Amino acid sequence: MRETDPRSIAGKLPAPDRHVPLVVVGAGAAGVAAAIEAARAGVEVVLIDEHPVDNDMMAMDVPLCFGQRMDGSVRNRALMLERVVETNPELASAHEAGVDVQLGTYVWGAFVNGPAVQELPVPMLGLADDRRSWLLGYDRLIIATGARDVLLGFPGCIAPWPRAD
Amino acid sequence: MADMASTHGAAVVIVGGGVTGLSTGWWLARAGVDVLVLEKGIVGWEASGRNGGGATHVYSPFGLEEQRLWPQMDELLGYPTEYQPYRIGVALSEAQLALARRWAEIGETRGFRWQLLDRRQLKELVPIVGDNAIGGTYLHFGGHANPQRTVQAYAWALQDHGGRILQHTTVTGLSQRGGRVTAVETTRGAFSADVVVIAAGPQTGAFAEMLGVWLPLAPARVEMIATEPIPLMHVGGVAGNGLYGRQTLRGNLVYGGGPHEWINVPDMATPEHANTPLVRNLARRLAELLPGAAHVRLIRSWSGLVENTPDGLPVVERLAQPENVVIATMSSVGFGLSPAVGRAVSELVRHDRCQFADLGALALGRFGDTPRDWRERAGWTASSSAVEAASAGDD
């Protein structure tokens, strides 16, 4: 048993209340298909998507609307949730397959141990909705978020451009 | 390549392009000294360029010079540091108020002015403070700057005076002959030197060991967060609730502070920076400190590595043996003091002594009796899985 510095995080990060073998982030075609396959194979899986995003966040990434807010027609959260499900029928299939579908939920961080971090009891995601934030432990993570203007960066993620010469 | 480089050298070679090495190089270059900074990565890329930016360390032997120099730095360097004067301490409890008062009173003993603020006065100065604040302190001294701007300014100004910087050049050894270090060996050849300055952050201890000198250092990871910008406050240097930080000139609230994690840095490579759920703790404490900004979103988080001596004080010393080496590590508090420390180290290089401050308390001799297992005794060790990961990384 080593001594502990009371001002260090050693031993102070408890495992999240919930831990699942698989989390899929992004409920587009790829993410939903992956989640359904996993569920049918008997894996407990949580599928997370940020949509419907908070009303104040809508159109933030559209330059034409930058600095403005969407009008009242999208302020009904229940209606927005309905629209997300309506436009993505596979979500219903995922739900029927036993996938735990969490909509309107942001993933604000994915944390694992590495050379400079060793105190995490398990790999965990930071999640939030419009009211609170919480942590979710996982064994495996599938990131199927697509790429808008924000790419997931990792060594080798930018492939050499094919050259004609 | 190596043979070509081996013909190069400088009067003074500085190992480490962090804020201490850059400031030292700038002070030397502006005095006309031929200086070369060797940096294994990019200058100021690590803790030097990603810290809270605070410049209020009047308790330090370098404190008075820090306070004298900062208001002049933009003009002296010729580039903007975004230095802003004054600091406001916000207290959410009697204990926090006592701590804020203690810092202010240390300033007072060194000749600086401050005011005790009640909640009404505090909210007039900082409108986003909430009713949970019981009062605060307004320091008419100290301040903060933008670390990224500042390290860039040092690097540019150093080069303007004829100094040289080699990035992506890792120092691998120190050649000694006749009781002196004669050359610095690197991944790009050897560089001869009359005097060598070692200001290598977490790696400083490893270089000291190459010279047979015991310098106990423990690296730790600390984390910071930044919010989207909000309108500028009159005084952007607002801190408290265990947080340090500032409002940037763009308007972002940038804060760190609180728990850290002890880690191992087993070789010359710096481990990749990473965050933990600690950022959520930082965000909560920031929302408590400045409830008027609780709705503002976080847009970034990052971490940095700081090295710490057992007593938390810097080591700034020209060695007795080999006598042409100066060692400088600031034990986590390097940025704000950098204008003064660079000047002190440049004087140790040129004159063998610091002309403006007594550095006696910062000498290495104080660690003569520090046992080799001091980290274990203090509880400052990385977790056991980190030890395994570090040794696995050696393969």
Side-chain angles (χ1 to χ4, degrees):
Chain A
M1 182 71 193
R2 65 189 168 125
E3 292 293 317
T4 302
D5 166 15
R7 293 166 63 195
S8 86
I9 65 170
K12 290 187 189 147
L13 289 174
D17 291 340
R18 188 174 177 203
H19 189 100
V20 292
L22 178 64
V23 178
V24 180
V25 182
V32 175
I36 290 173
E37 282 296 313
R40 285 180 181 157
V43 177
E44 182 188 0
V45 53
V46 173
L47 174 63
I48 298 171
D49 198 283
E50 65 176 340
H51 294 293
V53 296
D54 187 71
N55 173 259
D56 285 342
M57 291 292 280
M58 287 185 188
M60 284 290 281
D61 55 349
V62 180
L64 193 64
C65 301
F66 194 78
Q68 298 186 34
R69 293 291 184 265
M70 301 293 275
D71 65 25
S73 63
V74 298
R75 283 194 184 276
N76 184 331
R77 186 155 181 84
L79 183 66
M80 286 299 101
L81 198 57
E82 209 173 283
R83 286 283 161 80
V84 167
V85 176
E86 268 173 18
T87 52
N88 191 353
E90 285 302 297
L91 277 176
S93 313
H95 183 68
E96 280 158 24
V99 175
D100 180 353
V101 181
Q102 300 191 8
L103 300 176
T105 303
Y106 301 93
V107 177
W108 50 266
F111 306 105
V112 294
N113 282 332
V117 179
Q118 288 294 324
E119 295 290 353
L120 301 182
V122 293
M124 55 183 88
L125 290 176
L127 305 179
D129 59 20
D130 54 348
R131 286 169 319 204
R132 67 187 188 103
S133 78
W134 68 98
L135 299 168
L136 174 65
Y138 66 89
D139 295 326
R140 295 279 191 277
L141 180 65
I142 294 176
I143 300 176
T145 52
R148 288 182 297 184
D149 52 344
V150 182
L151 282 163
L152 175 69
F154 54 88
C157 65
I158 298 172
W161 191 254
R163 288 168 63 109
D165 50 358
Chain B
M1 178 66 197
D3 288 339
M4 276 174 63
S6 68
T7 61
H8 297 171
V12 180
V13 171
I14 298 172
V15 181
V19 75
T20 302
L22 291 171
S23 176
T24 299
W26 168 67
W27 280 100
L28 287 167
R30 73 196 293 272
V33 177
D34 170 34
V35 62
L36 171 66
V37 176
L38 300 174
E39 164 55 47
K40 67 180 163 57
I42 298 169
V43 289
W45 187 253
E46 296 178 30
S48 297
R50 52 177 71 222
N51 56 77
T56 315
H57 307 98
V58 291
Y59 58 84
S60 163
F62 303 108
L64 291 180
E65 186 67 358
E66 173 198 56
Q67 296 305 304
R68 190 183 74 85
L69 285 170
W70 267 112
Q72 311 173 49
M73 288 306 282
D74 283 18
E75 196 177 338
L76 290 173
L77 291 164
Y79 301 97
T81 64
E82 297 186 5
Y83 170 75
Q84 300 289 303
Y86 314 133
R87 298 288 298 180
I88 291 174
V90 177
L92 306 183
S93 65
E94 290 297 338
Q96 289 185 6
L97 189 61
L99 189 65
R101 284 189 70 137
R102 204 173 96 74
W103 284 112
E105 284 161 2
I106 291 172
E108 188 172 313
T109 64
R110 304 209 75 181
F112 297 103
R113 200 162 62 82
W114 69 282
Q115 268 175 279
L116 190 65
L117 304 172
D118 62 25
R119 183 189 294 145
R120 186 188 57 78
Q121 294 168 313
L122 183 62
K123 288 181 83 166
E124 269 172 25
L125 279 161
V126 188
I128 54 177
V129 160
D131 288 334
N132 58 338
I134 64 165
T137 55
Y138 187 3
L139 310 186
H140 297 262
F141 60 93
H144 54 271
N146 181 327
Q148 285 171 302
R149 291 273 189 189
T150 303
V151 290
Q152 184 73 82
Y154 279 129
W156 279 332
L158 179 161
Q159 291 172 309
D160 290 345
H161 288 291
R164 288 170 291 154
I165 297 171
L166 265 185
Q167 301 187 120
H168 305 294
T169 304
T170 303
V171 174
T172 54
L174 303 166
S175 307
Q176 297 183 68
R177 199 168 58 212
R180 296 169 63 84
V181 171
T182 52
V184 175
E185 298 150 21
T186 79
T187 48
R188 295 170 71 176
F191 296 86
S192 62
D194 297 330
V195 180
V196 174
V197 175
I198 297 171
Q203 278 87 15
T204 305
F207 286 116
E209 199 164 340
M210 289 179 193
L211 302 172
V213 173
W214 168 229
L215 169 53
L217 283 180
R221 189 196 70 253
V222 292
E223 304 189 29
M224 294 197 71
I225 55 172
T227 71
E228 57 193 351
I230 61 171
L232 280 186
M233 298 187 286
H234 180 56
V235 175
V238 181
N241 204 22
L243 298 167
Y244 56 82
R246 71 191 204 285
Q247 182 178 36
T248 69
L249 287 189
R250 177 166 159 69
N252 318 75
L253 303 173
V254 177
Y255 283 86
H260 50 256
E261 179 177 339
W262 297 106
I263 65 162
N264 288 329
V265 179
D267 55 28
M268 290 301 163
T270 298
E272 201 164 320
H273 300 99
N275 281 107
T276 70
L278 204 56
V279 296
R280 193 164 68 130
N281 174 278
L282 286 166
R284 180 181 56 80
R285 284 186 288 131
L286 181 58
E288 289 167 356
L289 178 72
L290 304 171
H295 65 290
V296 175
R297 285 181 289 262
L298 298 192
I299 56 172
R300 275 192 292 282
S301 64
W302 63 91
S303 68
L305 302 185
V306 291
E307 77 273 16
N308 298 269
T309 61
D311 58 12
L313 292 175
V315 171
V316 178
E317 181 179 2
R318 181 156 180 157
L319 297 180
Q321 186 69 27
E323 61 83 23
N324 65 333
V325 173
V326 180
I327 287 185
T329 164
M330 295 304 294
S331 192
S332 302
V333 190
F335 176 77
L337 292 167
S338 65
V341 173
R343 183 177 169 209
V345 176
S346 76
E347 291 182 356
L348 290 174
V349 167
R350 297 172 65 207
H351 312 299
D352 281 339
R353 56 180 294 271
C354 174
Q355 296 171 323
F356 67 89
D358 177 5
L359 307 186
L362 310 183
L364 269 168
R366 69 188 194 270
F367 301 123
D369 295 331
T370 303
R372 290 274 162 176
D373 64 348
W374 69 280
R375 285 187 69 175
E376 285 75 16
R377 293 177 187 226
W380 287 15
T381 50
S383 81
S384 52
S385 51
V387 176
E388 288 154 20
S391 54
D394 289 342
D395 295 340

